[in-house]
Amino acid sequence: GDSVTQMEGPVTLSEEAFLTINCTYTATGYPSLFWYVQYPGEGLQLLLKATKADDKGSNKGFEATYRKETTSFHLEKGSVQVSDSAVYFCSFGNEKLTFGTGTRLTIIP
Amino acid sequence: DTAVSQTPKYLVTQMGNDKSIKCEQNLGHDTMYWYKQDSKKFLKIMFSYNNKELIINETVPNRFSPKSPDKAHLNLHINSLELGDSAVYFCASRPGLGQGLAKNIQYFGAGTRLSVL
């Protein structure tokens, strides 16, 4: 069945470090892919998305590329900040979204 | 103005009670959802309504009954609460067909933390 596998956390990095959070998916067809972010005490917010193969989504310095051949959508950022500390969710779908288990990211000064 | 608003933000209650969580969106979206997020942050869809009609029901116990009086509201009523119902419940909405290019993006409320004692 449909599923998302993402890197288990928690992940702790120093400020300005390079970030990668891996995400792979199993789905029928070619769904849209998303990264959502949940800051402490808040709901999920869309961080970025890609709707077709080789599309790159980007926002706030984060990037992810839709890789059809590896069914992956890894999240990257070149230099993280303390304010990036949150839980990150990889997801896919159209009318119905399937989410990964979330990766808690903590950035220390 | 908050796009998707849920009330209450926190709900503490005893086992066996009946409670409701309300959700309203002012985005003009056709589709609304309820999700449950457990203590490990795993997020799972429960229901989806499109223009007041149920379109997704993910084998949720029938103690959970969503109600959509109009397309801007999707409330969640829970009967005979159990300890395992303790979680954070998120409401979300999404544009429908013909409502713009961003029809796959879901907008989430801030969540309702339910604690069953």
Side-chain angles (χ1 to χ4, degrees):
Chain A
D2 293 350
S3 66
V4 176
T5 301
Q6 67 179 97
M7 175 189 288
E8 280 200 31
V11 174
T12 302
L13 296 172
S14 297
E15 207 165 19
E16 299 183 3
F18 183 85
L19 168 72
T20 299
I21 301 178
N22 289 337
C23 172
T24 57
Y25 65 92
T26 302
T28 305
Y30 304 107
S32 296
L33 305 179
F34 306 89
W35 277 99
Y36 278 83
V37 58
Q38 184 179 24
Y39 298 104
E42 298 183 14
L44 278 73
Q45 305 172 23
L46 179 70
L47 179 61
L48 52 85
K49 73 168 201 170
T51 56
K52 61 183 188 296
D54 300 325
D55 264 3
K56 178 186 283 188
S58 61
N59 185 26
K60 299 182 181 180
F62 290 89
E63 292 183 340
T65 301
Y66 193 142
R67 300 287 187 201
K68 188 176 72 172
E69 63 277 10
T70 55
T71 60
S72 65
F73 194 52
H74 305 320
L75 182 69
E76 296 182 338
K77 186 172 184 179
S79 175
V80 291
Q81 305 300 313
V82 172
S83 57
D84 294 328
S85 298
V87 181
Y88 292 81
F89 292 89
C90 183
S91 71
F92 72 84
N94 293 305
E95 290 183 2
K96 172 184 160 183
L97 292 182
T98 299
F99 285 87
T101 52
T103 302
R104 183 180 296 278
L105 173 66
T106 303
I107 307 301
I108 54 177
Chain B
D1 282 346
T2 304
V4 181
S5 58
Q6 300 178 221
T7 54
K9 192 171 175 65
Y10 300 97
L11 185 54
V12 181
T13 188
Q14 300 287 331
M15 271 174 50
N17 284 350
D18 303 338
K19 291 293 178 185
S20 292
I21 307 172
K22 295 185 177 181
C23 179
E24 175 182 6
Q25 53 95 4
N26 62 6
L27 298 167
H29 290 166
D30 285 346
T31 306
M32 295 184 71
Y33 302 83
W34 277 107
Y35 289 87
K36 179 180 180 181
Q37 186 178 47
D38 63 24
S39 58
K40 296 183 179 179
K41 296 290 188 183
F42 184 66
L43 197 68
K44 186 170 169 59
I45 189 169
M46 300 173 68
F47 300 103
S48 175
Y49 270 68
N50 185 63
N51 273 323
K52 302 191 296 176
E53 291 192 17
L54 179 67
I55 56 172
I56 295 174
N57 182 340
E58 290 288 310
T59 60
V60 177
N62 58 14
R63 297 183 295 105
F64 291 77
S65 52
K67 289 194 171 43
S68 183
D70 55 63
K71 75 173 191 177
H73 295 84
L74 181 61
N75 303 323
L76 184 65
H77 188 76
I78 315 170
N79 288 329
S80 303
L81 278 155
E82 300 177 358
L83 293 176
D85 297 333
S86 296
V88 181
Y89 291 84
F90 286 100
C91 178
S93 72
R94 177 182 69 85
L97 292 175
Q99 288 197 303
L101 296 176
K103 63 181 175 68
N104 289 341
I105 298 174
Q106 295 189 18
Y107 297 79
F108 284 77
T112 296
R113 183 175 294 278
L114 171 65
S115 299
V116 182
L117 307 177

